[in-house]
Structure formats: C-alpha cells, structure tokens
Amino acid sequence: MGTNRGIAALLVGALVAACASESAAGPGAGPACGAAVATLETLSVGMYAALDPGSDSGCVSFPLNTSTSDVEYLVIAQSAGGIPGDSAPFELRSARLVPTAVSPLMARRRALRGPRGSIAAAFDHLLRGLERGRHRPPAALGPLPTSPGVATVAPPALGSLRTFAVCADLNCVTFDTVTARAQSVGAHVVIYVDTLAPADGLDAADIDTLQQVFDTHVYAVDTAAFGSVSDVDSNGVVLTLMTPVVNRSVTAAECSAGGFVTGFFYPGDLDSIPGSPSNHGEIFYTVVADPNGALSCAHTQADVKSFLPSTFLHELQHVISFNQHVLIRNGNPEDIWLDEALSSLAEELGGQSFLPDSSTFYTYVSGDLENAYEYLQDPGDHFLLQSSDTVVADFGAGWLYARYLVDQFGDSLTHKLEQTTLTGTDNVAAQTGLPFTTTVTRWALANWVSDLPGFAPPPGLFYRSWSFRQVYASVYQVPFPLVPSSGSGSQVNIAGNPRAGSGYYVDVLQPPRGGGFTLFLGTSTGLVSPSVVPRLVVIRLR
C-alpha cells in the first residue's frame, strides 16, 4: 500500500534512540558472568562478530587495551530473525567477570540448546502465510500468463465506461461500486477516472502524461527487475483506477496526523476472496487530484502528478509478486515485510531510469530516504520484519535491507526473490546462499560503518549505491540520523524490546591502557527469548 508523508519530516535534528539510556556503573556493578562460560572476543580493527547469547549465557568479555590510543567498538543488541512483528525484552549491561566452573546444570543446558527448531519455525511460517494468503489447490488455477506477443488481446476502448468494486476502508470490509471512464489507453496501462472525481482534477493532457510515464518507465523497470505481469482478464494491460474512494479512505484529520494512501493493489482482484467482490484483473487504485480538499486532505494537480509515478512502481511490483508467487507457482504471497521492501526498491529503480536527471531521481526516491531516516533515528523501536504495512519507518528498514542485498549480491537477486515459492527469510537465505542471520547482522553493521569517515568497511559491510551520510547532509541539510548511545565498557546500561530484524546501537570506548570489560546480553531473569534470534553484534572501529 502506498503512503505519502511530507519530505519536511526530514528537516529535523538527529535524535538519540529514546529507549537507550546510559548510566554509570561503578566497579563491581552489574550482573556477574562466569569466566568459564563468557566468550573472550579479541578483534583487530575492522573485524566483527555476531554472537549468540545462548552459547555463553549472554556474557562476552573484551581484553584490556594495551595500546596508547583509544579502542572503539560498535555493539548492537539485535533481533536477527523470528516471526515478523515479534519482539522480546532485553538488557545490555556492563558485567563483572568472576572465576567459575561450568555447573553440571549449565553444561547440560548449553548442550541441549541449538538453533531454533526447524519444525516450529516452519509451522510459524505457515501460520503467518495463511494469515495473508489464499493458497489454492492446483485445480483452482487458471491458465498461466501467456508469453508476450503470442495471444491476441483487446484492451479497453478509449472513452469506454466500466463499473468497479473498490475497497472503501483500509480493512477492505466494505466496498463501493463506482463507474469510471477509460481516459488514456497505452501499450501497458489503461487509466480510468471515476465519473464522480472532482471537476478541478487532472486534465486529459496530465493523464496522458502519466500513461506515458507508466509505459516508458514504470512497466519497463518493474518487469525487468521482478518478472512478468499476469493477464487474468486477457486485455493485455494493467488498469489504473483513479477514484475519490481512495481519498476518502482516510479523513482529513487522519491525513494531517499520519499521511494518506496514494494507491493500492487488492489481491482479491487476481485470486478471489470468498465473500468479497473481485474485479478479475490487474488493477490498482489511486487518489484523484482534489485541490480544495473536498474529499479529505487537499491534493493539488502538481502533487498528484509528482507522487503517482512512484505509486505505480510500488503497486505494480505487488501485482508482479502475486503473479510470480501465487498464480504461476501456486505458492503463498510473499511475506509483507519483503513484499514491501521490494516495492520500495522499485520506486528507487524507477527513479534511476531518469538519471542523469538527479532532480527527477530524488522525486522518486525521496519517500524511501525519508522512511529510512525515520528508521535510522530509532532502529531498536522499529521492525525490519514487519507484520503490517502502516509504519513508514518499517518501510525504511525494508528499503535499506533490500538495497543492501542487491548491492551485495547483484541486480539479478530481485528476479530470484520473485521467481520462487519460498517467502520471507527462507527466500532471502535461499537466494543469497547465506543464513538470514548472517545477512541481517551484516546489514545492521553496514548501516553505521558503510561510509563512516576514516574507516574502511570490510567486505559485506557496505552499500555500493549510496553514501547516506553525504546524501542527508548535502541534499537535505540534516545530519546522519543514526546516533548510537556511547560510553565506556563499564557504563553500558540499556534496555528495551528489539523488534524482529532490528536492534539498539552502542558505541563503546576503551581508553589507552584501559582495563578489559564484560558485557551481558540477557534479561533480569536470564537469557533473551530465542524466538527473536538474539545476537550481540560487535565490530572494532579503531
């Protein structure tokens, strides 16, 4: 679902994560960690590790600093997986290292602890898929999409009228029936406009321009990156319906407080949902221009012409994803978090098709940069593995992760992620050849070290396409939003509920000739719940 919030949201100062609070811890303070179970982490500059607290009771020790200069570590308390939308409490605290032997009970507990059970994970994954999908038996499948140029198709005639059933609320519980006219017919899209749209909306030339952008940029970019579009209605085109129903899906007050829906794709149009109407075709729905705000918040003609092309890119990816996963391969729809991440990436790819026109490029990618800014301001309190599509910071996490993956594994990765029955973290692991925990912990580090001044990130810890510190400073005149909490190794004391895929960042300084220190990642009663795949991720910066 496309959303829009003003780029003015970027014009704020960087904020330290509110849930991470520092307090000094004197000698002997904090939990006790047994020397026999604590992991001793000796890293040279540029080395990093992702540690499972279940393997060492959450205790990690760092050696004394024998040099005459500061040693600096970036530490992330991260949820490196789990069920989308899940979180669990944690504490990351300085600890005391005491000499102990491993008790028989501890030895047994460590021996029995392994990775999260594959059967439980698969069952959780199935449940999450059933919440979204309408997995159909093979007999219910219609004919597969025809290869381009083989079938004779007939697109709707210019000026023809048609009725549509349109979601009238954001839960698609009620539907409105509208009549719309085909206002522009292109090679790949037909744009319909609701006959009840405001008279002071887009004119015929504006709509023709949108149709041409769709044909020459949107369709070409999305199909090249993600694959073919279905054609269940055998008309050879994708339909776009511009209707006031989308405007009215949020009130003016809601729009001012939380943004608005620019457009959406309803999967029931391709694979019928019992009890709900279906328009039986490749269709997405958008707002209409409403400069006087008669329907909800006001949208000028210039505004709509500016944001609809990126909405086209976003929603067409959803259509393609549904075709590739469900209609062609009879699988479940892609998990929400990855589907939205790829749709956000589609917006950026569409903008790239206009380069070297950087002004137009940033028009397309500004929403992604804004969402990423909101995520990086407070990563511990937002999801990568989101379970809904209503929080723009979660969209920002998804775009960043998708961009990181493509930068690391190549442009062909987007095709591989679509042309499969796998979904979510299983899909990412299969197409990258690495466990999801590996790519997500490396991505978390890359968010800080990729273009860190004076630091050369090791392989796997950088973005090839972006220098975000430079972009936010030069394009938006704001500082880089990610600001780790900081302190010495004996002053770490943060707590929170890291969201699935995300974590809290801490910058730890060890003074010259400074003593060693120990960190504990756990809870007040023991270990962090393994359901969120906890990891203590650390890299030495200097």
Side-chain angles (χ1 to χ4, degrees):
M1 180 174 64
T3 61
N4 184 288
R5 301 176 72 179
I7 197 65
L10 280 172
L11 303 180
V12 296
L15 299 177
V16 178
C19 286
S21 60
E22 294 279 351
S23 65
C33 286
V37 297
T39 297
L40 178 61
E41 199 59 53
T42 303
L43 301 174
S44 58
V45 174
M47 289 185 63
Y48 62 95
L51 307 168
D52 180 357
S55 66
D56 52 21
S57 296
C59 297
V60 179
S61 293
F62 296 82
L64 60 85
N65 177 10
T66 60
S67 73
T68 57
S69 58
D70 288 335
V71 169
E72 181 180 9
Y73 299 94
L74 179 75
V75 179
I76 308 172
Q78 186 180 16
S79 165
I83 300 170
D86 198 11
S87 65
F90 88 101
E91 298 174 359
L92 178 62
R93 300 169 60 188
S94 302
R96 293 176 291 119
L97 188 61
V98 296
T100 59
V102 182
S103 69
L105 176 61
M106 178 60 72
R108 181 184 179 195
R109 182 175 63 156
R110 291 179 68 203
L112 292 178
R113 181 175 292 109
R116 188 165 179 255
S118 60
I119 293 177
F123 182 64
D124 285 341
H125 186 71
L126 174 66
L127 293 177
R128 302 290 78 74
L130 290 177
E131 289 174 359
R132 290 199 68 217
R134 290 148 300 281
H135 188 82
R136 303 178 300 157
L141 284 174
L144 294 180
T146 308
S147 300
V150 174
T152 300
V153 296
L158 182 65
S160 60
L161 292 172
R162 175 176 169 176
T163 59
F164 297 85
V166 184
C167 292
D169 59 74
L170 296 185
N171 295 314
C172 284
V173 174
T174 58
F175 290 77
D176 285 350
T177 300
V178 305
T179 300
R181 188 180 305 276
Q183 293 277 46
S184 187
V185 178
H188 302 296
V189 67
V190 173
I191 299 180
Y192 280 87
V193 179
D194 193 322
T195 56
L196 298 181
D200 53 357
L202 300 185
D203 61 25
D206 293 331
I207 294 172
D208 283 342
T209 298
L210 287 174
Q211 171 259 304
Q212 291 161 13
V213 170
F214 186 101
D215 277 346
T216 58
H217 289 275
V218 174
Y219 187 88
V221 166
D222 273 2
T223 54
F226 306 107
S228 62
V229 184
S230 60
D231 191 17
V232 299
D233 50 5
S234 299
N235 62 11
V237 291
V238 176
L239 306 184
T240 296
L241 172 59
M242 304 180 70
T243 173
V245 176
V246 179
N247 299 59
R248 290 194 298 263
S249 65
V250 296
T251 66
E254 291 170 335
C255 179
S256 298
F260 59 94
V261 176
T262 59
F264 65 90
F265 154 64
Y266 175 60
D269 286 335
L270 298 183
D271 191 11
S272 298
I273 301 173
S276 297
S278 174
N279 292 307
H280 304 292
E282 293 73 22
I283 306 169
F284 47 85
Y285 308 86
T286 79
V287 296
V288 295
D290 181 23
N292 294 319
L295 303 166
S296 180
C297 51
H299 304 306
T300 67
Q301 294 92 336
D303 289 340
V304 172
K305 288 187 292 183
S306 175
F307 63 64
L308 274 193
S310 60
T311 299
F312 290 163
L313 286 155
H314 188 109
E315 300 308 322
L316 185 60
Q317 191 285 139
H318 287 320
V319 175
I320 292 172
S321 181
F322 198 90
N323 179 43
Q324 296 294 326
H325 285 277
V326 179
L327 299 185
I328 292 179
R329 293 171 179 83
N330 196 29
N332 283 322
E334 183 54 88
D335 284 4
I336 287 176
W337 74 268
L338 186 51
D339 196 15
E340 292 295 351
L342 293 176
S343 278
S344 295
L345 182 65
E347 298 169 6
E348 179 196 349
L349 297 178
Q352 289 178 0
S353 71
F354 288 91
L355 291 174
D357 179 357
S358 60
S359 177
T360 300
F361 167 70
Y362 278 107
T363 297
Y364 278 73
V365 80
S366 62
D368 297 321
L369 287 167
E370 178 184 351
N371 296 343
Y373 190 94
E374 293 203 21
Y375 173 74
L376 292 171
Q377 279 186 317
D378 210 355
D381 283 351
H382 294 293
F383 291 99
L384 169 64
L385 306 184
Q386 67 190 97
S387 59
S388 68
D389 56 1
T390 58
V391 180
V392 295
D394 297 349
F395 280 73
W399 173 61
L400 287 169
Y401 182 63
R403 169 41 65 196
Y404 166 82
L405 289 179
V406 172
D407 281 354
Q408 291 295 321
F409 298 97
D411 294 343
S412 63
L413 182 66
T414 53
H415 251 283
K416 296 175 183 177
L417 289 169
E418 297 288 26
Q419 297 177 5
T420 177
T421 58
L422 296 172
T423 58
T425 58
D426 293 338
N427 191 4
V428 172
Q431 311 316 326
T432 62
L434 293 174
F436 177 77
T437 53
T438 299
T439 59
V440 78
T441 53
R442 291 179 180 177
W443 165 72
L445 289 171
N447 285 335
W448 179 250
V449 308
S450 180
D451 58 350
L452 182 65
F455 181 77
L461 300 192
F462 57 85
Y463 292 90
R464 297 182 189 276
S465 302
W466 289 91
S467 295
F468 287 110
R469 285 179 173 85
Q470 178 182 346
V471 167
Y472 286 122
S474 63
V475 178
Y476 298 111
Q477 290 80 52
V478 293
F480 187 60
L482 179 55
V483 182
S485 300
S486 62
S488 71
S490 63
Q491 294 177 313
V492 178
N493 184 15
I494 67 174
N497 289 272
R499 274 61 170 175
S502 297
Y504 294 97
Y505 290 66
V506 182
D507 188 61
V508 178
L509 286 174
Q510 192 178 22
R513 308 297 184 185
F517 62 94
T518 299
L519 298 179
F520 168 74
L521 177 63
T523 69
S524 59
T525 58
L527 295 173
V528 181
S529 171
S531 66
V532 297
V533 196
R535 291 292 184 271
L536 184 64
V537 188
V538 58
I539 185 170
R540 182 172 170 181
L541 301 178
R542 56 189 171 99

